[in-house]
Amino acid sequence: MTENFEKLTPEIISKLVLPKMFCENVEYFEETSSTNDIAKAMADSGAKEGTLVIAESQAHGKGRWGRNWESPKYLGIYVSIILRPKLNKEIIPFISLISGIATAETIKEEMGLDAKIKWPNDILIREKKVSGILIEGSIIQDRLEFLILGIGINVNNETFKGEYLHTPTSLRIEKDGNIISRKNILERLLVKLEKWYFLLLKEPDGKETILKRYKELSHTLGKEVTLRAGKDLLKGTAIDIDQMGFLVLKDKKGKLERIPSGELTNES
Ligand code: BTN
């Protein structure tokens, strides 16, 4: 069944027009446990920024909050990138925002689909989840040693096995049912990631530009939400993303809460 799908072999990847940052060290697997776990082990052993781990399938693809990320062979994009921003951990919410922007823009531009970002960085099309992002890191005394940016995009999936908080979908389902080439999507995703990452690191007004773009693509702002942050369940209206990259929630009494990370269980 899977024979008809193109592979993303190192040869094919080497022919993509990738930003220099991401083409120097590419690790490719037909099958692996989790690209995030592989990238983390590589980062622990000193692998450099921009190292790209890509797999055709993952036996234990990891989602946020200990969930599983369904990763059937050749059907999705499963990629993890090692980042080593020379900054402290306050940058993490912004890495999360730029990953969402890069993924949503990629889907919009490659597929012409209306991708939106559910805070912090789930990508939705017509209210269904097409892509998820898992950021893991190593922090020593408030300083970031490295971050692992893991992105999963459902591309050619036609069905899903698991039970989900958000109904899953794929680009193929949302487009017209025809098989979609993953190459161009991967290429554009990496170009976008580099663009937004460099903007964050190098431009004095990078954060302003990022916040503006994120808000344009947001599915969450203006909505009534229920949010799980640690053990707490918070309810309110999502009114803004602040200068720290935190979600600003206004409860019924008008009290504002600023939330660095969490999971929305409901939006209406
Ligand atoms: C989520 O929405 O829960 C995050 C899903 C992240 C999945 C990707 S697939 C590539 C990378 N490797 C993993 O094990 N997880 C991420």
PDB file of all heavy atoms in Angstrom, residues 33-37 53 58 60-65 67-69 71 77-80 121-122 129 131-136 149-153 263, ligand 1:
ATOM      1  N   SER A  33      12.202   5.654  16.426  1.00  0.00           N
ATOM      2  CA  SER A  33      11.272   5.756  17.558  1.00  0.00           C
ATOM      3  C   SER A  33      10.598   7.118  17.503  1.00  0.00           C
ATOM      4  O   SER A  33       9.405   7.243  17.237  1.00  0.00           O
ATOM      5  CB  SER A  33      12.027   5.555  18.862  1.00  0.00           C
ATOM      6  OG  SER A  33      13.156   6.415  18.886  1.00  0.00           O
ATOM      7  N   SER A  34      11.390   8.161  17.711  1.00  0.00           N
ATOM      8  CA  SER A  34      10.890   9.542  17.677  1.00  0.00           C
ATOM      9  C   SER A  34      12.036  10.427  17.206  1.00  0.00           C
ATOM     10  O   SER A  34      13.139  10.356  17.765  1.00  0.00           O
ATOM     11  CB  SER A  34      10.441   9.951  19.083  1.00  0.00           C
ATOM     12  OG  SER A  34      10.574  11.348  19.257  1.00  0.00           O
ATOM     13  N   THR A  35      11.787  11.266  16.208  1.00  0.00           N
ATOM     14  CA  THR A  35      12.871  12.142  15.722  1.00  0.00           C
ATOM     15  C   THR A  35      13.303  13.110  16.823  1.00  0.00           C
ATOM     16  O   THR A  35      14.463  13.501  16.881  1.00  0.00           O
ATOM     17  CB  THR A  35      12.431  12.926  14.464  1.00  0.00           C
ATOM     18  OG1 THR A  35      11.220  13.631  14.760  1.00  0.00           O
ATOM     19  CG2 THR A  35      12.231  12.012  13.273  1.00  0.00           C
ATOM     20  N   ASN A  36      12.369  13.491  17.702  1.00  0.00           N
ATOM     21  CA  ASN A  36      12.761  14.371  18.805  1.00  0.00           C
ATOM     22  C   ASN A  36      13.766  13.687  19.721  1.00  0.00           C
ATOM     23  O   ASN A  36      14.736  14.302  20.171  1.00  0.00           O
ATOM     24  CB  ASN A  36      11.534  14.789  19.631  1.00  0.00           C
ATOM     25  CG  ASN A  36      11.006  16.153  19.224  1.00  0.00           C
ATOM     26  OD1 ASN A  36      11.014  16.481  18.047  1.00  0.00           O
ATOM     27  ND2 ASN A  36      10.553  16.944  20.188  1.00  0.00           N
ATOM     28  N   ASP A  37      13.529  12.402  20.011  1.00  0.00           N
ATOM     29  CA  ASP A  37      14.454  11.672  20.898  1.00  0.00           C
ATOM     30  C   ASP A  37      15.829  11.541  20.251  1.00  0.00           C
ATOM     31  O   ASP A  37      16.857  11.683  20.908  1.00  0.00           O
ATOM     32  CB  ASP A  37      13.899  10.283  21.229  1.00  0.00           C
ATOM     33  CG  ASP A  37      12.729  10.365  22.197  1.00  0.00           C
ATOM     34  OD1 ASP A  37      12.474  11.464  22.731  1.00  0.00           O
ATOM     35  OD2 ASP A  37      12.050   9.336  22.401  1.00  0.00           O
ATOM     36  N   VAL A  53      16.711  16.112  11.764  1.00  0.00           N
ATOM     37  CA  VAL A  53      16.432  14.678  11.837  1.00  0.00           C
ATOM     38  C   VAL A  53      15.079  14.453  11.186  1.00  0.00           C
ATOM     39  O   VAL A  53      14.083  15.072  11.571  1.00  0.00           O
ATOM     40  CB  VAL A  53      16.408  14.178  13.298  1.00  0.00           C
ATOM     41  CG1 VAL A  53      16.135  12.684  13.348  1.00  0.00           C
ATOM     42  CG2 VAL A  53      17.715  14.509  14.001  1.00  0.00           C
ATOM     43  N   GLN A  58       7.537   6.913  12.530  1.00  0.00           N
ATOM     44  CA  GLN A  58       7.983   6.882  13.927  1.00  0.00           C
ATOM     45  C   GLN A  58       7.143   5.853  14.686  1.00  0.00           C
ATOM     46  O   GLN A  58       5.908   5.870  14.606  1.00  0.00           O
ATOM     47  CB  GLN A  58       7.784   8.237  14.593  1.00  0.00           C
ATOM     48  CG  GLN A  58       8.513   9.393  13.939  1.00  0.00           C
ATOM     49  CD  GLN A  58       8.276  10.704  14.685  1.00  0.00           C
ATOM     50  OE1 GLN A  58       9.177  11.243  15.287  1.00  0.00           O
ATOM     51  NE2 GLN A  58       7.058  11.206  14.642  1.00  0.00           N
ATOM     52  N   HIS A  60       7.212   5.629  17.972  1.00  0.00           N
ATOM     53  CA  HIS A  60       6.747   6.289  19.203  1.00  0.00           C
ATOM     54  C   HIS A  60       6.782   7.803  19.024  1.00  0.00           C
ATOM     55  O   HIS A  60       7.425   8.504  19.816  1.00  0.00           O
ATOM     56  CB  HIS A  60       7.602   5.862  20.394  1.00  0.00           C
ATOM     57  CG  HIS A  60       7.639   4.382  20.588  1.00  0.00           C
ATOM     58  ND1 HIS A  60       6.552   3.678  21.045  1.00  0.00           N
ATOM     59  CD2 HIS A  60       8.599   3.476  20.326  1.00  0.00           C
ATOM     60  CE1 HIS A  60       6.863   2.383  21.069  1.00  0.00           C
ATOM     61  NE2 HIS A  60       8.096   2.231  20.635  1.00  0.00           N
ATOM     62  N   GLY A  61       6.130   8.262  17.965  1.00  0.00           N
ATOM     63  CA  GLY A  61       6.047   9.708  17.732  1.00  0.00           C
ATOM     64  C   GLY A  61       5.403  10.360  18.945  1.00  0.00           C
ATOM     65  O   GLY A  61       4.369   9.904  19.424  1.00  0.00           O
ATOM     66  N   LYS A  62       6.034  11.419  19.446  1.00  0.00           N
ATOM     67  CA  LYS A  62       5.569  12.028  20.685  1.00  0.00           C
ATOM     68  C   LYS A  62       4.773  13.302  20.408  1.00  0.00           C
ATOM     69  O   LYS A  62       5.202  14.153  19.624  1.00  0.00           O
ATOM     70  CB  LYS A  62       6.762  12.415  21.564  1.00  0.00           C
ATOM     71  CG  LYS A  62       7.619  11.239  21.981  1.00  0.00           C
ATOM     72  CD  LYS A  62       8.551  11.613  23.113  1.00  0.00           C
ATOM     73  CE  LYS A  62       9.541  12.687  22.731  1.00  0.00           C
ATOM     74  NZ  LYS A  62      10.542  12.971  23.765  1.00  0.00           N
ATOM     75  N   GLY A  63       3.641  13.425  21.087  1.00  0.00           N
ATOM     76  CA  GLY A  63       2.877  14.662  21.033  1.00  0.00           C
ATOM     77  C   GLY A  63       3.078  15.424  22.330  1.00  0.00           C
ATOM     78  O   GLY A  63       3.821  14.991  23.213  1.00  0.00           O
ATOM     79  N   ARG A  64       2.413  16.570  22.466  1.00  0.00           N
ATOM     80  CA  ARG A  64       2.489  17.319  23.711  1.00  0.00           C
ATOM     81  C   ARG A  64       1.711  16.581  24.795  1.00  0.00           C
ATOM     82  O   ARG A  64       0.873  15.747  24.505  1.00  0.00           O
ATOM     83  CB  ARG A  64       1.921  18.731  23.519  1.00  0.00           C
ATOM     84  CG  ARG A  64       2.728  19.536  22.513  1.00  0.00           C
ATOM     85  CD  ARG A  64       2.100  20.886  22.242  1.00  0.00           C
ATOM     86  NE  ARG A  64       2.311  21.817  23.332  1.00  0.00           N
ATOM     87  CZ  ARG A  64       1.389  22.675  23.788  1.00  0.00           C
ATOM     88  NH1 ARG A  64       0.195  22.697  23.249  1.00  0.00           N
ATOM     89  NH2 ARG A  64       1.669  23.497  24.783  1.00  0.00           N
ATOM     90  N   TRP A  65       2.025  16.856  26.038  1.00  0.00           N
ATOM     91  CA  TRP A  65       1.316  16.287  27.186  1.00  0.00           C
ATOM     92  C   TRP A  65       1.336  14.763  27.190  1.00  0.00           C
ATOM     93  O   TRP A  65       0.361  14.116  27.535  1.00  0.00           O
ATOM     94  CB  TRP A  65      -0.137  16.787  27.239  1.00  0.00           C
ATOM     95  CG  TRP A  65      -0.211  18.274  27.173  1.00  0.00           C
ATOM     96  CD1 TRP A  65      -0.488  19.030  26.076  1.00  0.00           C
ATOM     97  CD2 TRP A  65       0.064  19.204  28.226  1.00  0.00           C
ATOM     98  NE1 TRP A  65      -0.408  20.371  26.375  1.00  0.00           N
ATOM     99  CE2 TRP A  65      -0.080  20.511  27.694  1.00  0.00           C
ATOM    100  CE3 TRP A  65       0.424  19.063  29.574  1.00  0.00           C
ATOM    101  CZ2 TRP A  65       0.121  21.653  28.451  1.00  0.00           C
ATOM    102  CZ3 TRP A  65       0.613  20.211  30.319  1.00  0.00           C
ATOM    103  CH2 TRP A  65       0.460  21.480  29.753  1.00  0.00           C
ATOM    104  N   ARG A  67       1.205  12.670  24.865  1.00  0.00           N
ATOM    105  CA  ARG A  67       0.376  11.951  23.897  1.00  0.00           C
ATOM    106  C   ARG A  67       1.233  11.342  22.794  1.00  0.00           C
ATOM    107  O   ARG A  67       2.397  11.646  22.646  1.00  0.00           O
ATOM    108  CB  ARG A  67      -0.639  12.901  23.257  1.00  0.00           C
ATOM    109  CG  ARG A  67      -1.611  13.458  24.264  1.00  0.00           C
ATOM    110  CD  ARG A  67      -2.890  13.886  23.564  1.00  0.00           C
ATOM    111  NE  ARG A  67      -3.723  14.583  24.528  1.00  0.00           N
ATOM    112  CZ  ARG A  67      -3.688  15.899  24.719  1.00  0.00           C
ATOM    113  NH1 ARG A  67      -2.898  16.663  23.982  1.00  0.00           N
ATOM    114  NH2 ARG A  67      -4.445  16.472  25.621  1.00  0.00           N
ATOM    115  N   ASN A  68       0.552  10.489  22.017  1.00  0.00           N
ATOM    116  CA  ASN A  68       1.206   9.835  20.890  1.00  0.00           C
ATOM    117  C   ASN A  68       0.973  10.687  19.635  1.00  0.00           C
ATOM    118  O   ASN A  68      -0.055  11.336  19.515  1.00  0.00           O
ATOM    119  CB  ASN A  68       0.545   8.449  20.753  1.00  0.00           C
ATOM    120  CG  ASN A  68       1.009   7.722  19.544  1.00  0.00           C
ATOM    121  OD1 ASN A  68       2.198   7.647  19.266  1.00  0.00           O
ATOM    122  ND2 ASN A  68       0.056   7.175  18.788  1.00  0.00           N
ATOM    123  N   TRP A  69       1.956  10.687  18.717  1.00  0.00           N
ATOM    124  CA  TRP A  69       1.722  11.334  17.413  1.00  0.00           C
ATOM    125  C   TRP A  69       1.764  10.256  16.345  1.00  0.00           C
ATOM    126  O   TRP A  69       2.790   9.638  16.090  1.00  0.00           O
ATOM    127  CB  TRP A  69       2.785  12.405  17.122  1.00  0.00           C
ATOM    128  CG  TRP A  69       2.480  13.152  15.847  1.00  0.00           C
ATOM    129  CD1 TRP A  69       3.048  12.943  14.628  1.00  0.00           C
ATOM    130  CD2 TRP A  69       1.527  14.206  15.663  1.00  0.00           C
ATOM    131  NE1 TRP A  69       2.499  13.799  13.701  1.00  0.00           N
ATOM    132  CE2 TRP A  69       1.569  14.585  14.307  1.00  0.00           C
ATOM    133  CE3 TRP A  69       0.623  14.860  16.511  1.00  0.00           C
ATOM    134  CZ2 TRP A  69       0.756  15.592  13.786  1.00  0.00           C
ATOM    135  CZ3 TRP A  69      -0.187  15.865  15.991  1.00  0.00           C
ATOM    136  CH2 TRP A  69      -0.105  16.217  14.646  1.00  0.00           C
ATOM    137  N   SER A  71       2.299   8.297  13.247  1.00  0.00           N
ATOM    138  CA  SER A  71       3.334   8.615  12.246  1.00  0.00           C
ATOM    139  C   SER A  71       3.491   7.495  11.219  1.00  0.00           C
ATOM    140  O   SER A  71       4.539   6.855  11.113  1.00  0.00           O
ATOM    141  CB  SER A  71       4.680   8.827  12.964  1.00  0.00           C
ATOM    142  OG  SER A  71       4.560   9.683  14.064  1.00  0.00           O
ATOM    143  N   ILE A  77       4.998  14.315   7.406  1.00  0.00           N
ATOM    144  CA  ILE A  77       6.341  14.877   7.576  1.00  0.00           C
ATOM    145  C   ILE A  77       6.629  14.823   9.072  1.00  0.00           C
ATOM    146  O   ILE A  77       5.843  15.327   9.882  1.00  0.00           O
ATOM    147  CB  ILE A  77       6.395  16.328   7.050  1.00  0.00           C
ATOM    148  CG1 ILE A  77       6.275  16.320   5.523  1.00  0.00           C
ATOM    149  CG2 ILE A  77       7.677  17.032   7.501  1.00  0.00           C
ATOM    150  CD1 ILE A  77       6.204  17.693   4.877  1.00  0.00           C
ATOM    151  N   TYR A  78       7.734  14.176   9.413  1.00  0.00           N
ATOM    152  CA  TYR A  78       8.150  14.051  10.816  1.00  0.00           C
ATOM    153  C   TYR A  78       9.584  14.550  10.897  1.00  0.00           C
ATOM    154  O   TYR A  78      10.498  13.879  10.409  1.00  0.00           O
ATOM    155  CB  TYR A  78       8.079  12.590  11.291  1.00  0.00           C
ATOM    156  CG  TYR A  78       6.854  11.859  10.776  1.00  0.00           C
ATOM    157  CD1 TYR A  78       6.963  10.810   9.852  1.00  0.00           C
ATOM    158  CD2 TYR A  78       5.575  12.236  11.184  1.00  0.00           C
ATOM    159  CE1 TYR A  78       5.846  10.168   9.353  1.00  0.00           C
ATOM    160  CE2 TYR A  78       4.445  11.601  10.691  1.00  0.00           C
ATOM    161  CZ  TYR A  78       4.597  10.568   9.778  1.00  0.00           C
ATOM    162  OH  TYR A  78       3.483   9.944   9.287  1.00  0.00           O
ATOM    163  N   VAL A  79       9.757  15.713  11.468  1.00  0.00           N
ATOM    164  CA  VAL A  79      11.075  16.326  11.423  1.00  0.00           C
ATOM    165  C   VAL A  79      11.396  16.998  12.760  1.00  0.00           C
ATOM    166  O   VAL A  79      10.501  17.529  13.424  1.00  0.00           O
ATOM    167  CB  VAL A  79      11.142  17.321  10.234  1.00  0.00           C
ATOM    168  CG1 VAL A  79      10.172  18.463  10.403  1.00  0.00           C
ATOM    169  CG2 VAL A  79      12.520  17.864  10.013  1.00  0.00           C
ATOM    170  N   SER A  80      12.660  16.911  13.161  1.00  0.00           N
ATOM    171  CA  SER A  80      13.109  17.607  14.376  1.00  0.00           C
ATOM    172  C   SER A  80      14.383  18.360  14.054  1.00  0.00           C
ATOM    173  O   SER A  80      15.241  17.871  13.315  1.00  0.00           O
ATOM    174  CB  SER A  80      13.379  16.613  15.511  1.00  0.00           C
ATOM    175  OG  SER A  80      12.196  15.922  15.838  1.00  0.00           O
ATOM    176  N   ASN A 121       0.608  26.408  19.251  1.00  0.00           N
ATOM    177  CA  ASN A 121       1.060  26.153  17.872  1.00  0.00           C
ATOM    178  C   ASN A 121       0.474  24.897  17.213  1.00  0.00           C
ATOM    179  O   ASN A 121       1.136  24.259  16.415  1.00  0.00           O
ATOM    180  CB  ASN A 121       2.599  26.141  17.792  1.00  0.00           C
ATOM    181  CG  ASN A 121       3.204  25.222  18.818  1.00  0.00           C
ATOM    182  OD1 ASN A 121       2.546  24.295  19.257  1.00  0.00           O
ATOM    183  ND2 ASN A 121       4.443  25.463  19.193  1.00  0.00           N
ATOM    184  N   ASP A 122      -0.783  24.600  17.547  1.00  0.00           N
ATOM    185  CA  ASP A 122      -1.480  23.570  16.756  1.00  0.00           C
ATOM    186  C   ASP A 122      -1.954  24.231  15.465  1.00  0.00           C
ATOM    187  O   ASP A 122      -2.444  25.358  15.500  1.00  0.00           O
ATOM    188  CB  ASP A 122      -2.733  23.070  17.484  1.00  0.00           C
ATOM    189  CG  ASP A 122      -2.402  22.121  18.618  1.00  0.00           C
ATOM    190  OD1 ASP A 122      -1.266  21.633  18.673  1.00  0.00           O
ATOM    191  OD2 ASP A 122      -3.297  21.892  19.457  1.00  0.00           O
ATOM    192  N   LYS A 129      -7.251  19.394  13.290  1.00  0.00           N
ATOM    193  CA  LYS A 129      -5.800  19.560  13.478  1.00  0.00           C
ATOM    194  C   LYS A 129      -5.009  18.826  12.399  1.00  0.00           C
ATOM    195  O   LYS A 129      -5.137  17.620  12.232  1.00  0.00           O
ATOM    196  CB  LYS A 129      -5.425  19.039  14.874  1.00  0.00           C
ATOM    197  CG  LYS A 129      -3.948  19.165  15.192  1.00  0.00           C
ATOM    198  CD  LYS A 129      -3.707  19.026  16.683  1.00  0.00           C
ATOM    199  CE  LYS A 129      -2.255  18.768  16.999  1.00  0.00           C
ATOM    200  NZ  LYS A 129      -1.987  18.740  18.425  1.00  0.00           N
ATOM    201  N   SER A 131      -1.490  19.655  11.971  1.00  0.00           N
ATOM    202  CA  SER A 131      -0.070  19.663  12.312  1.00  0.00           C
ATOM    203  C   SER A 131       0.099  19.998  13.791  1.00  0.00           C
ATOM    204  O   SER A 131      -0.695  20.764  14.359  1.00  0.00           O
ATOM    205  CB  SER A 131       0.657  20.707  11.450  1.00  0.00           C
ATOM    206  OG  SER A 131       1.940  20.968  11.958  1.00  0.00           O
ATOM    207  N   GLY A 132       1.137  19.393  14.394  1.00  0.00           N
ATOM    208  CA  GLY A 132       1.435  19.668  15.796  1.00  0.00           C
ATOM    209  C   GLY A 132       2.928  19.876  15.982  1.00  0.00           C
ATOM    210  O   GLY A 132       3.743  19.375  15.193  1.00  0.00           O
ATOM    211  N   ILE A 133       3.269  20.617  17.004  1.00  0.00           N
ATOM    212  CA  ILE A 133       4.664  20.994  17.232  1.00  0.00           C
ATOM    213  C   ILE A 133       5.031  20.697  18.682  1.00  0.00           C
ATOM    214  O   ILE A 133       4.269  21.032  19.600  1.00  0.00           O
ATOM    215  CB  ILE A 133       4.855  22.500  16.905  1.00  0.00           C
ATOM    216  CG1 ILE A 133       4.599  22.718  15.403  1.00  0.00           C
ATOM    217  CG2 ILE A 133       6.246  22.991  17.323  1.00  0.00           C
ATOM    218  CD1 ILE A 133       4.474  24.155  14.970  1.00  0.00           C
ATOM    219  N   LEU A 134       6.153  20.033  18.843  1.00  0.00           N
ATOM    220  CA  LEU A 134       6.616  19.693  20.196  1.00  0.00           C
ATOM    221  C   LEU A 134       8.015  20.263  20.384  1.00  0.00           C
ATOM    222  O   LEU A 134       8.947  19.868  19.681  1.00  0.00           O
ATOM    223  CB  LEU A 134       6.647  18.164  20.362  1.00  0.00           C
ATOM    224  CG  LEU A 134       7.196  17.636  21.678  1.00  0.00           C
ATOM    225  CD1 LEU A 134       6.298  18.027  22.851  1.00  0.00           C
ATOM    226  CD2 LEU A 134       7.338  16.104  21.633  1.00  0.00           C
ATOM    227  N   ILE A 135       8.134  21.191  21.336  1.00  0.00           N
ATOM    228  CA  ILE A 135       9.442  21.801  21.605  1.00  0.00           C
ATOM    229  C   ILE A 135       9.953  21.267  22.934  1.00  0.00           C
ATOM    230  O   ILE A 135       9.262  21.357  23.946  1.00  0.00           O
ATOM    231  CB  ILE A 135       9.334  23.341  21.644  1.00  0.00           C
ATOM    232  CG1 ILE A 135       8.838  23.843  20.286  1.00  0.00           C
ATOM    233  CG2 ILE A 135      10.676  23.973  21.995  1.00  0.00           C
ATOM    234  CD1 ILE A 135       8.491  25.306  20.259  1.00  0.00           C
ATOM    235  N   GLU A 136      11.136  20.697  22.902  1.00  0.00           N
ATOM    236  CA  GLU A 136      11.759  20.206  24.125  1.00  0.00           C
ATOM    237  C   GLU A 136      13.113  20.898  24.246  1.00  0.00           C
ATOM    238  O   GLU A 136      13.651  21.389  23.252  1.00  0.00           O
ATOM    239  CB  GLU A 136      11.945  18.697  24.048  1.00  0.00           C
ATOM    240  CG  GLU A 136      10.615  17.970  23.868  1.00  0.00           C
ATOM    241  CD  GLU A 136      10.765  16.467  23.836  1.00  0.00           C
ATOM    242  OE1 GLU A 136      11.205  15.945  22.783  1.00  0.00           O
ATOM    243  OE2 GLU A 136      10.460  15.827  24.837  1.00  0.00           O
ATOM    244  N   LEU A 149      13.119  21.275  18.143  1.00  0.00           N
ATOM    245  CA  LEU A 149      11.857  21.712  17.558  1.00  0.00           C
ATOM    246  C   LEU A 149      11.329  20.578  16.681  1.00  0.00           C
ATOM    247  O   LEU A 149      11.895  20.284  15.630  1.00  0.00           O
ATOM    248  CB  LEU A 149      12.122  22.979  16.730  1.00  0.00           C
ATOM    249  CG  LEU A 149      11.020  23.496  15.825  1.00  0.00           C
ATOM    250  CD1 LEU A 149       9.759  23.752  16.625  1.00  0.00           C
ATOM    251  CD2 LEU A 149      11.484  24.772  15.152  1.00  0.00           C
ATOM    252  N   GLY A 150      10.282  19.917  17.151  1.00  0.00           N
ATOM    253  CA  GLY A 150       9.734  18.768  16.419  1.00  0.00           C
ATOM    254  C   GLY A 150       8.407  19.146  15.761  1.00  0.00           C
ATOM    255  O   GLY A 150       7.498  19.654  16.426  1.00  0.00           O
ATOM    256  N   ILE A 151       8.325  18.907  14.466  1.00  0.00           N
ATOM    257  CA  ILE A 151       7.100  19.268  13.730  1.00  0.00           C
ATOM    258  C   ILE A 151       6.545  18.030  13.020  1.00  0.00           C
ATOM    259  O   ILE A 151       7.285  17.313  12.335  1.00  0.00           O
ATOM    260  CB  ILE A 151       7.388  20.367  12.680  1.00  0.00           C
ATOM    261  CG1 ILE A 151       7.995  21.597  13.376  1.00  0.00           C
ATOM    262  CG2 ILE A 151       6.108  20.763  11.924  1.00  0.00           C
ATOM    263  CD1 ILE A 151       8.326  22.751  12.455  1.00  0.00           C
ATOM    264  N   GLY A 152       5.285  17.799  13.216  1.00  0.00           N
ATOM    265  CA  GLY A 152       4.599  16.721  12.497  1.00  0.00           C
ATOM    266  C   GLY A 152       3.479  17.324  11.653  1.00  0.00           C
ATOM    267  O   GLY A 152       2.695  18.134  12.154  1.00  0.00           O
ATOM    268  N   ILE A 153       3.448  16.958  10.372  1.00  0.00           N
ATOM    269  CA  ILE A 153       2.340  17.414   9.503  1.00  0.00           C
ATOM    270  C   ILE A 153       1.685  16.185   8.882  1.00  0.00           C
ATOM    271  O   ILE A 153       2.372  15.334   8.294  1.00  0.00           O
ATOM    272  CB  ILE A 153       2.840  18.349   8.368  1.00  0.00           C
ATOM    273  CG1 ILE A 153       3.642  19.532   8.934  1.00  0.00           C
ATOM    274  CG2 ILE A 153       1.656  18.869   7.539  1.00  0.00           C
ATOM    275  CD1 ILE A 153       4.214  20.479   7.868  1.00  0.00           C
ATOM    276  N   GLU A 263      -2.490  24.224  27.481  1.00  0.00           N
ATOM    277  CA  GLU A 263      -3.229  23.607  26.376  1.00  0.00           C
ATOM    278  C   GLU A 263      -4.671  24.048  26.426  1.00  0.00           C
ATOM    279  O   GLU A 263      -5.324  23.968  27.464  1.00  0.00           O
ATOM    280  CB  GLU A 263      -3.168  22.094  26.459  1.00  0.00           C
ATOM    281  CG  GLU A 263      -3.995  21.469  25.360  1.00  0.00           C
ATOM    282  CD  GLU A 263      -3.823  19.978  25.298  1.00  0.00           C
ATOM    283  OE1 GLU A 263      -4.051  19.331  26.324  1.00  0.00           O
ATOM    284  OE2 GLU A 263      -3.471  19.482  24.236  1.00  0.00           O
TER     285      GLU A 263
HETATM  286  C1  BTN B   1       1.375  17.755  19.350  1.00  0.00           C
HETATM  287  O1  BTN B   1       0.579  18.432  18.702  1.00  0.00           O
HETATM  288  O2  BTN B   1       0.999  17.119  20.327  1.00  0.00           O
HETATM  289  C2  BTN B   1       2.832  17.746  18.944  1.00  0.00           C
HETATM  290  C3  BTN B   1       3.118  16.723  17.904  1.00  0.00           C
HETATM  291  C4  BTN B   1       4.562  16.725  17.447  1.00  0.00           C
HETATM  292  C5  BTN B   1       4.891  15.603  16.516  1.00  0.00           C
HETATM  293  C6  BTN B   1       6.262  15.701  15.931  1.00  0.00           C
HETATM  294  S1  BTN B   1       6.560  14.530  14.655  1.00  0.00           S
HETATM  295  C7  BTN B   1       8.251  14.910  14.645  1.00  0.00           C
HETATM  296  C8  BTN B   1       8.663  15.105  16.092  1.00  0.00           C
HETATM  297  N1  BTN B   1       9.031  13.830  16.700  1.00  0.00           N
HETATM  298  C9  BTN B   1       8.194  13.481  17.662  1.00  0.00           C
HETATM  299  O3  BTN B   1       8.279  12.425  18.330  1.00  0.00           O
HETATM  300  N2  BTN B   1       7.245  14.396  17.809  1.00  0.00           N
HETATM  301  C10 BTN B   1       7.425  15.515  16.899  1.00  0.00           C
END
